[in-house]
Amino acid sequence: MRRFSDSASLGPLGERRFFLLFTGRTISMLGSTIAPVALAFAVVGLTGSPSDLGIVLAASFLPQILFLVVGGVWADRVPRHVVMVAADLVGAAAQGALAILLLTGTAQVWHIVCVAGVRGIAAAFFMPASTGVVPQTVSANQLQQANAILGFSRNATAILGAAGGGLLVAGLGPGLALAVDAATYVVGACFLAFLKLPPLPAARRHFARELREGWAEFRGRKWLWAVVVQFTFINAFSWAAFFVLGPFVAASSLGGAAAWGLILTAEAAGMLVGGYIALRHRPRRPLLAGNAALILIALPLVALALASGEIVIAAAAFVAGVGVEFFEVLWATTLQSRIPADRLSRVSSYDWLGSFALVPLGTILVGPLAMAIGLANTLWLAAGIVVAGTLSVIAFGGVRQLVESPPAAAEPPQRLSLAA
């Protein structure tokens, strides 16, 4: 028997549960990053209508908002890896069915809308469970490193999946690309199915009471809802301004889609660096350090407003990516360290819900606002919202003074072992 038991050499990946979680999520996410390219070109091939593509995107996003708190309750009721496996299998079935429709030439836009809705519901169950499961798979002193590694995987697959998705769609068509996505869901679910997690306290099985308990945990922590309110506005307006108005700046001033692709790639590369920094650095005041880094996301908005040139904007996007991922790792670790394990997924669902509730409204309003006050002025306003919101949160004592407080490990970690 050969045993990998040196946590210093493998870190969280040396713990069997986390290795299975990491592998399952990475494979599943790789397929998920292929899907947007395939879906977009499926719609283009069917109708060529931007409005139809917008409907498909809305059909994926809105069910996530509507079902997030339901997903949070169930992820605190039953083993979280079971919820994740079920969500992955539902996603596999949906993408597989659409792949068959596209390959047989019978797909219509309403089919894609329905599949997008099903995947959105599955994601609403998957996301709170995936947040809550991490502390159950890794030693307490490895929690921040585990979140950094998961973030690194997420960002690396975003880069590889976007490029691979384009090649797959160009070479094989949207149908086969979605079939590949369905297969990655199945393989990812297989790894997650081998997880053996310690049981949570017995569920109460009263849905409304469980919702209220999750809300009480959320509302009772001022640092928590302060950051969520901050992200409600940052995501609704600044995120929307970047992704809705950015392509128009690229088209009018930077040379088109290639420049925009460079900017997005630079941001993703920055997120990889931000995850590496979080892997190596453990600040004593995590939310203060995270928000200090987060203010960097104003830089690409300013660079776009100035139409500074694609290299300058890409550099600003890279720096912003570093700040975003550094914050994300510290935020996830803080939640997982300070929320009771049996209520973590419910609190996480309120976090997701509050952070993204106004995104559909923001994406609808940012275009008319740009027409009313000008594209550059709208980008300046979005950058101002980032700076003002982040400085306000930093000034809030509950956020600024919160000190790292890792939880006690529930039980000894399982180490990876390979039979010789």
Side-chain angles (χ1 to χ4, degrees):
M1 179 74 72
R2 184 182 177 189
R3 184 171 297 275
F4 292 91
S5 58
D6 184 2
S7 61
S9 61
L10 291 176
L13 289 172
E15 301 187 19
R16 179 180 182 276
R17 291 171 182 157
F18 182 76
F19 176 81
L20 291 171
L21 174 67
F22 168 83
T23 306
R25 280 185 55 172
T26 299
I27 293 171
S28 177
M29 285 188 296
L30 183 61
S32 296
T33 58
I34 295 172
V37 181
L39 288 174
F41 280 90
V43 173
V44 168
L46 289 174
T47 70
S49 169
S51 297
D52 287 341
L53 181 56
I55 292 171
V56 170
L57 294 176
S60 176
F61 193 82
L62 289 176
Q64 293 184 42
I65 295 176
L66 294 175
F67 284 90
L68 268 170
V69 294
V70 179
V73 168
W74 278 100
D76 281 340
R77 279 184 172 185
V78 301
R80 287 166 180 145
H81 68 292
V82 173
V83 176
M84 296 168 70
V85 168
D88 270 350
L89 293 179
V90 169
Q95 297 296 72
L98 182 55
I100 292 172
L101 291 172
L102 288 169
L103 290 171
T104 57
T106 57
Q108 300 180 35
V109 172
W110 71 267
H111 293 139
I112 302 178
V113 170
C114 290
V115 167
V118 171
R119 287 185 65 243
I121 294 172
F125 283 78
F126 187 94
M127 290 190 297
S130 67
T131 300
V133 79
V134 178
Q136 295 180 275
T137 63
V138 70
S139 303
N141 63 344
Q142 300 271 24
L143 184 57
Q144 181 174 316
Q145 287 74 16
N147 284 310
I149 289 171
L150 290 172
F152 186 90
S153 168
R154 179 178 64 249
N155 296 317
T157 54
I159 296 173
L160 295 174
L167 293 174
L168 279 173
V169 172
L172 302 177
L176 284 175
L178 289 173
V180 172
D181 182 27
T184 63
Y185 274 120
V186 174
V187 176
C190 289
F191 278 93
L192 295 175
F194 282 103
L195 277 172
K196 295 180 180 179
L197 300 178
L200 294 171
R204 295 167 179 80
R205 306 291 181 182
H206 297 291
F207 187 83
R209 183 187 302 170
E210 291 170 79
L211 277 181
R212 289 195 299 270
E213 288 175 350
W215 174 250
E217 292 286 347
F218 177 86
R219 185 186 59 185
R221 290 168 168 80
K222 294 181 180 180
W223 58 267
L224 175 53
W225 56 255
V227 173
V228 171
V229 169
Q230 169 196 15
F231 269 85
T232 299
F233 291 97
I234 287 179
N235 285 336
F237 299 106
S238 303
W239 182 91
F242 181 76
F243 284 101
V244 174
L245 302 182
F248 288 94
V249 175
S252 62
S253 305
L254 305 177
W260 185 240
L262 172 65
I263 292 166
L264 295 182
T265 301
E267 182 189 37
M271 295 177 77
L272 290 176
V273 174
Y276 177 78
I277 295 172
L279 186 65
R280 307 286 295 182
H281 180 56
R282 187 191 297 269
R284 176 170 170 76
R285 299 183 186 273
L287 295 188
L288 175 60
N291 274 281
L294 189 66
I295 205 167
L296 296 172
I297 65 177
L299 293 179
L301 295 166
V302 171
L304 283 169
L306 296 173
S308 304
E310 62 183 276
I311 300 301
V312 174
I313 298 172
F318 175 87
V319 174
V322 174
V324 168
E325 189 61 23
F326 185 68
F327 171 86
E328 289 289 345
V329 172
L330 297 180
W331 176 247
T333 304
T334 302
L335 278 182
Q336 294 158 357
S337 299
R338 292 180 171 269
I339 306 299
D342 62 325
R343 302 182 183 189
L344 178 55
S345 289
R346 277 171 286 174
V347 172
S348 172
S349 71
Y350 284 113
D351 172 27
W352 286 105
L353 177 62
S355 297
F356 292 98
L358 296 184
V359 167
L361 179 63
T363 56
I364 291 171
L365 293 180
V366 71
L369 182 62
M371 294 180 63
I373 68 174
L375 189 147
N377 287 334
T378 305
L379 289 164
W380 278 110
L381 177 61
I385 290 173
V386 172
V387 174
T390 305
L391 290 178
S392 297
V393 168
I394 288 175
F396 187 68
V399 170
R400 188 178 66 254
Q401 297 167 8
L402 186 137
V403 178
E404 181 193 22
S405 179
E411 61 177 72
Q414 296 178 326
R415 300 295 182 186
L416 274 179
S417 64
L418 296 176

